[in-house]
């Protein structure tokens, strides 16, 4: 039997939803204010995943104007029925709940079907044996919330012809705990004559958990499992290395095995810079109820796996002259600022006056940060920059108020390279090297919560440490708040219209 390591998707991969199509598996996660939205992954073994696209890859599918880093797209659900893929999610500031469809998982995906009279967040779809489709979601207590997080899970039939809700809206559950807070992420399943609704509750932080209830009728009454929660880490203490476990989705293999994907956060010196990631666990059914990792009852860092492994090559170096589904932009990128035509083999990034502090679309191309021990390196040509206030280089971004930058700016006859921290919106230069040329190699070296910044002048061969032992614990949800993990990548800004810089490649390597 093979072994696998958790998480199965490293770095900023929250709210996973998984579905099986024969022996193929597909998975999506939340993206909040990043564009394109909702990455879709393919696997043959539920462990090794390859990103095959992004479902929301057009602006008309994904309005994000002014969205905060932790707004935008919440909790997508992916399902397959009668030759069609369905993805349903919430755009919390621009339109609410909607569905898109595709005949192939890599797309193209349809424009949104916006759902009327569908309050709340975290929608899901369930296709019953009689062909009917049902919407489940979560909404505030219709009588008025009696406390913060007083929400409920509700059900309503969805007309697949009109893509609108029909019939009666019914409350089916409000969570397992007394005065449960934030019952959310509901998914509906049917097994052995019972309907099961599985949810997250307790909030998305340390008290997060997965609970479940069942009914013989789809509209209830749903009886909560006496052994709830079926998965949580809140009882393991804050020294345990994995926190915030919740928001699961069940999947059955063709041979009748069951697994659960869920989110959780790896903790490094008390902080989760990588955000919420996707983990995998084994599920057995006992007395009509699911048991997660029997005999253990928690997520494992390493675990035996019964499915034959089908490895997928993990990319480290990116040829910037080609697009990649892994690339992430903030809100609505002005794609004319990402020029792959003007200089063969290079990516030309045109500067705007927008910065990483603005809730807009600065010229930034990122990747999900996947590890705390990493190397992030790029080679760039800054010779076209004319404004001494221009910046070109690397950034690690938590949100608009928390980030680090390693950037070159024109200065006298050469370039100055600075390491800059942004903490609660305040910039501080923590390291500086002057007299560099325009053709540079910039590197961040992450070693746990400490980061080193390096610069190399390609033409002269000069190498310098710009700063070292820079603490980055503030690039975490525990300090910065919100729901996102960090991204890292290329950045350019300038008040001088016409400024640009060329980038040759980008390397993101996980170090042991």
């Amino acid at each position: 039997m093979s072994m696998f390591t958790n998480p199965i998707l490293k770095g900023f991969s929250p709210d996973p939803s998984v579905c099986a199509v024969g022996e193929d598996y597909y998975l999506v996660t939340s993206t909040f204010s990043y564009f394109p939205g909702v990455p879709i992954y393919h696997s043959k073994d539920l462990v090794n995943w390859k990103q095959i696209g992004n479902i929301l890859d057009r602006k008309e599918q994904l309005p994000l104007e002014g969205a905060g880093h932790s707004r935008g797209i919440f909790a997508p659900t992916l399902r397959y029925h009668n030759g069609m893929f369905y993805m349903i999610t919430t755009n919390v500031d621009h339109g609410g709940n909607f569905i898109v469809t595709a005949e192939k998982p890599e797309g193209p995906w349809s424009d949104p079907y916006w759902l009327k009279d569908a309050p709340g967040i975290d929608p899901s779809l369930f296709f019953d044996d009689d062909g009917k489709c049902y919407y489940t979601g979560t909404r505030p207590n219709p009588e008025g919330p009696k406390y913060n997080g007083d929400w409920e899970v509700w059900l309503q039939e969805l007309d697949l012809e009109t893509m609108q809700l029909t019939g009666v809206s019914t409350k089916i559950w409000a969570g397992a705990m007394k005065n449960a807070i934030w019952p959310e992420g509901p998914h509906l399943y049917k097994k052995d004559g019972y309907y099961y609704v599985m949810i997250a509750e307790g909030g998305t932080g340390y008290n997060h958990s997965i609970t479940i209830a069942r009914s013989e009728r789809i509209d209830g009454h749903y009886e909560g499992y006496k052994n709830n929660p079926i998965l949580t880490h809140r009882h393991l203490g804050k020294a345990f290395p994995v926190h915030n476990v919740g928001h699961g989705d069940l999947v059955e293999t063709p041979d009748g095995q069951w697994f659960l994907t869920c989110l959780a956060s790896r903790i490094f010196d008390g902080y989760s810079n990588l955000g919420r990631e996707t983990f995998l666990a084994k599920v057995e059914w006992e007395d009509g109820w699911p048991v997660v990792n029997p005999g253990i009852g928690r997520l494992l860092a390493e675990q035996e796996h019964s499915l034959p492994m089908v490895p997928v090559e993990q990319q480290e170096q990116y040829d910037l002259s080609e697009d990649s589904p892994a690339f992430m932009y903030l809100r609505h990128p002005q794609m004319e600022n990402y020029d792959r035509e003007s200089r063969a083999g290079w990516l030309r990034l045109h500067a705007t006056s927008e910065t990483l502090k603005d809730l807009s679309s600065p010229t930034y191309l990122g990747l999900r940060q996947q590890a705390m021990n990493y190397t992030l390196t790029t080679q760039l040509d800054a010779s076209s920059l004319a404004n001494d206030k221009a910046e070109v280089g690397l950034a690690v971004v938590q949100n608009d108020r928390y980030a680090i930058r390693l950037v070159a700016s024109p200065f006298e006859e050469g370039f100055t390279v600075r390491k800059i921290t942004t903490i609660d919106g305040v910039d501080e230069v923590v390291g500086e090297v002057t007299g560099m040329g325009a053709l540079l190699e910039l590197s961040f070296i992450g070693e746990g919560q400490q980061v080193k910044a390096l610069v190399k002048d390609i033409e002269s061969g000069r190498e310098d440490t710009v700063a070292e032992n820079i603490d980055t614990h503030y690039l975490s949800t525990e300090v910065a708040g919100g729901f996102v993990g960090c991204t890292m990548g290329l950045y350019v800004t300038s008040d001088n219209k016409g400024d640009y810089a060329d980038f040759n490649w980008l390397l993101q390597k996980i170090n042991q």
Side-chain angles (χ1 to χ4, degrees), residues 384-397:
S384 296
L385 293 185
N387 184 352
D388 61 3
K389 294 182 180 179
E391 294 182 5
V392 55
L394 295 173
V396 180
V397 179

Side-chain angles (χ1 to χ4, degrees), residues 81 84-88 97-102 109-118 125 127 133 135 157-166:
H81 177 70
M84 186 70 70
F85 288 87
Y86 297 79
M87 192 281 292
I88 184 170
N97 296 304
F98 67 94
I99 301 168
V100 291
T101 63
W109 289 78
S110 71
D111 286 344
Y113 297 95
W114 297 100
L115 297 175
K116 301 175 183 177
D117 301 319
L125 296 177
F127 297 90
C133 179
Y135 173 107
E157 188 177 345
L158 177 76
D159 186 331
L160 293 176
E161 294 295 324
T162 63
M163 285 293 188
Q164 292 298 318
L165 299 176
T166 185

